[in-house]
Amino acid sequence: MEFNFKQIITATMVLFAVIDIIGSIPVIISLREKSKEIKSGRASIISAIVLIVFLFIGERILNLIGINVNEFAVAGALVLFFIALEMVLGITLFKQQDNDLSMATVFPIAFPIVAGPGSLTTLLSLRAEFELENIIVAILINIIVVFIVLRTSSSLQRFLGKNGIGIIEKIFGVILLAISVKLFTSNIQELFS
């Protein structure tokens, strides 16, 4: 096991940008008002389990259907690119459905807001470039942030305001855009070499 601080920071930032828990504060507050209760600890634990389990078995699932990690990483880079465009341009490309609000802790908070398609794709994309232990640390750091945001979502919204949340979302959108281009170029080269 070799922990690499640079890999941990990069993976943490990528996951933070993709999960976009700060940008999800308005959704979380709306769900909290409608469902009356969101269990922050439970949502965080379920999200962590889904992310870590997928990190370990995601590649095997891909192998069963005949796709390698580099091919998945290229596809993931494209998904990240469109998520970043959503954040930067303020448009909606991916639609989410409203479901039973009594399950708000699990759906949509744990899945798909935290452990959604973008996060799962990102994990396998990161796995193509980073060591496993560094990605796990990045996941745990993000889950701690998710827990704190879920616990303090009302206070954060008052503190940051709509403009503050918008600015943070745009900044992380641009960072995510650059990261998606890097993931795409490095993995596309691997496919053709």
Side-chain angles (χ1 to χ4, degrees):
M1 258 214 254
E2 194 176 311
F3 292 102
N4 181 315
F5 188 69
K6 185 180 175 190
Q7 284 189 12
I8 291 170
I9 293 296
T10 305
T12 301
M13 285 185 65
V14 171
L15 283 172
F16 184 78
V18 172
I19 292 170
D20 188 29
I21 196 67
I22 301 292
S24 298
I25 289 175
V27 176
I28 293 164
I29 287 168
S30 169
L31 287 168
R32 192 179 292 277
E33 287 169 359
K34 290 175 189 170
S35 66
K36 303 294 179 223
E37 184 184 20
I38 290 174
K39 296 180 174 117
S40 308
R42 187 173 173 204
S44 302
I45 290 167
I46 291 168
S47 301
I49 291 168
V50 170
L51 291 169
I52 291 171
V53 166
F54 190 81
L55 182 64
F56 282 99
I57 66 165
E59 192 172 351
R60 289 188 200 127
I61 293 169
L62 291 179
N63 289 337
L64 280 174
I65 56 176
I67 299 171
N68 73 31
V69 175
N70 295 111
E71 292 163 342
F72 195 79
V74 168
L78 293 173
V79 171
L80 291 179
F81 180 81
F82 289 114
I83 291 171
L85 281 181
E86 277 189 338
M87 293 167 74
V88 173
L89 301 176
I91 56 174
T92 303
L93 298 171
F94 300 105
K95 295 183 180 167
Q96 294 176 355
Q97 298 173 339
D98 291 330
N99 254 10
D100 184 13
L101 291 170
S102 63
M103 290 181 53
T105 297
V106 177
F107 187 88
I109 291 180
F111 182 85
I113 289 177
V114 178
S119 309
L120 299 178
T121 304
T122 302
L123 284 178
L124 290 188
S125 302
L126 291 172
R127 187 156 182 189
E129 294 201 18
F130 299 143
E131 297 299 321
L132 199 61
E133 59 269 15
N134 298 320
I135 299 170
I136 291 170
V137 172
I139 289 170
L140 295 176
I141 291 169
N142 272 282
I143 293 302
I144 291 167
V145 172
V146 165
F147 175 76
I148 292 167
V149 169
L150 288 175
R151 269 305 240 215
T152 61
S153 54
S154 302
S155 306
L156 277 172
Q157 188 190 33
R158 282 193 300 275
F159 176 73
L160 293 172
K162 256 186 174 170
N163 291 337
I165 291 170
I167 289 168
I168 289 169
E169 193 171 14
K170 301 279 187 248
I171 290 168
F172 276 98
V174 172
I175 292 168
L176 189 58
L177 208 53
I179 290 166
S180 71
V181 170
K182 181 182 182 285
L183 275 172
F184 181 83
T185 53
S186 62
N187 283 288
I188 203 90
Q189 288 170 355
E190 288 290 320
L191 289 177
F192 292 111
S193 62

